[in-house]
Amino acid sequence: TSMYRIYFKQALQMLKQNPFISIISILGTALAIMMIMTVIVTSEIQNASFSPEVNRDRTLYLHTFTTWDTITNIQNSNSTGIPYSFCKDYILPIKTPELIVETDLCQTIVKPEGSNDIHLLEALGTDADFWELYTFTFVQGKPYSQEEFESGLRAAVLRERTARMLFKDENPIGKSMEVNFLPYRIVGVVKEISPLAKESNAAFWIPYTSLPQYENDIFRIMLLARDKSDFPK
């Protein structure tokens, strides 16, 4: 204990002798520690599982698609998404994953029922398994079902902020809004989610089968493994 007291007194004495240099040194050390912590926390946030993306450690993400000429070994095309035809023929038939989820991000023009207000909002077209992969908290209503997805029903799930913006304090369940000039019925409202949930985030969610010409769109694919050891398969 006496040694620590001596070291402490010596440190104070050095600080008093060169206060300006001491302050610069302390601030530099503090900033360096802060930057290291920021990098660590940012990395953890990007990879850690949190609601609604609670299955990150078991999910394989497919975001890009490239075609090559196998004879000339020349790249023919590259896209930031997977073509629907490729998903249908080669991804969806895979039996190893527990779930295969497809999403189609799109910009939409939205007008609530009985209003002339027009909003430009980001919508996420999804399949019904999307609500199994991600654990949203519904404050009103429920998600669209597999049957509604397969029938291409024009249904929408809103986040709380979007519901307040479009319908103020009214209950939006059962009301309609125009999405790209087509009527959609509100079936659910979910609790606000973090903007860090990049794969599941949107102003609202709709069945991608309700989008005109969705067969020509490109998708992001999420494969949920039953176990992380299944990734190589």
Side-chain angles (χ1 to χ4, degrees):
T1 305
S2 60
M3 289 297 295
Y4 290 137
R5 288 179 181 174
I6 293 172
Y7 292 149
F8 184 69
K9 289 179 180 179
Q10 288 176 343
L12 287 178
Q13 191 63 33
M14 292 176 64
L15 290 174
K16 291 177 182 178
Q17 290 175 355
N18 299 287
F20 180 74
I21 299 299
S22 299
I23 290 172
I24 295 298
S25 299
I26 292 171
L27 289 177
T29 304
L31 286 172
I33 294 172
M34 183 182 70
M35 289 300 297
I36 292 171
M37 292 302 297
T38 300
V39 171
I40 292 173
V41 170
T42 301
S43 177
E44 285 295 316
I45 289 174
Q46 289 177 344
N47 297 286
S49 297
F50 60 90
S51 183
E53 298 182 3
V54 296
N55 293 307
R56 282 181 166 184
D57 60 333
R58 289 196 295 130
T59 305
L60 184 67
Y61 302 90
L62 305 181
H63 284 176
T64 59
F65 181 82
T66 304
T67 59
W68 290 80
D69 187 319
T70 56
I71 297 176
T72 62
N73 200 32
I74 295 176
Q75 178 178 322
N76 290 335
S77 66
N78 186 35
S79 66
T80 55
I82 316 297
Y84 177 77
S85 58
F86 187 86
C87 299
K88 181 180 178 182
D89 294 339
Y90 297 102
I91 302 296
L92 293 181
I94 298 174
K95 301 301 181 184
T96 305
E98 182 178 332
L99 287 175
I100 300 176
V101 172
E102 304 167 284
T103 62
D104 182 9
L105 190 65
C106 51
Q107 292 290 338
T108 61
I109 298 172
V110 177
K111 187 171 77 71
E113 180 183 38
S115 173
N116 293 322
D117 294 335
I118 294 177
H119 305 270
L120 182 64
L121 299 176
E122 196 170 63
L124 193 62
T126 80
D127 52 24
D129 285 337
F130 176 85
W131 305 108
E132 297 293 326
L133 177 61
Y134 298 119
T135 57
F136 289 85
T137 300
F138 276 79
V139 295
Q140 290 178 292
K142 59 182 181 179
Y144 36 84
S145 65
Q146 180 66 27
E147 292 74 18
E148 291 169 329
F149 164 75
E150 291 176 356
S151 66
L153 185 74
R154 290 200 287 268
V157 174
L158 310 182
R159 63 191 301 167
E160 284 183 307
R161 185 172 61 192
T162 304
R164 287 193 299 268
M165 180 178 65
L166 297 179
F167 297 99
K168 311 305 179 189
D169 295 327
E170 299 178 21
N171 182 356
I173 302 301
K175 294 184 179 296
S176 295
M177 65 180 188
E178 288 187 10
V179 178
N180 290 341
F181 310 107
L182 294 173
Y184 277 73
R185 182 173 58 88
I186 315 302
V187 297
V189 178
V190 298
K191 190 176 180 180
E192 278 298 308
I193 64 174
S194 169
L196 298 172
K198 295 180 180 180
E199 299 299 329
S200 56
N201 221 323
F204 63 97
W205 301 263
I206 56 179
Y208 72 70
T209 49
S210 69
L211 296 168
Q213 305 299 318
Y214 70 87
E215 297 96 338
N216 299 323
D217 288 346
I218 57 175
F219 288 77
R220 293 184 294 185
I221 310 297
M222 280 66 70
L223 307 176
L224 179 64
R226 302 177 195 280
D227 187 88
K228 285 183 285 186
S229 62
D230 288 337
F231 280 152
K233 299 178 187 178

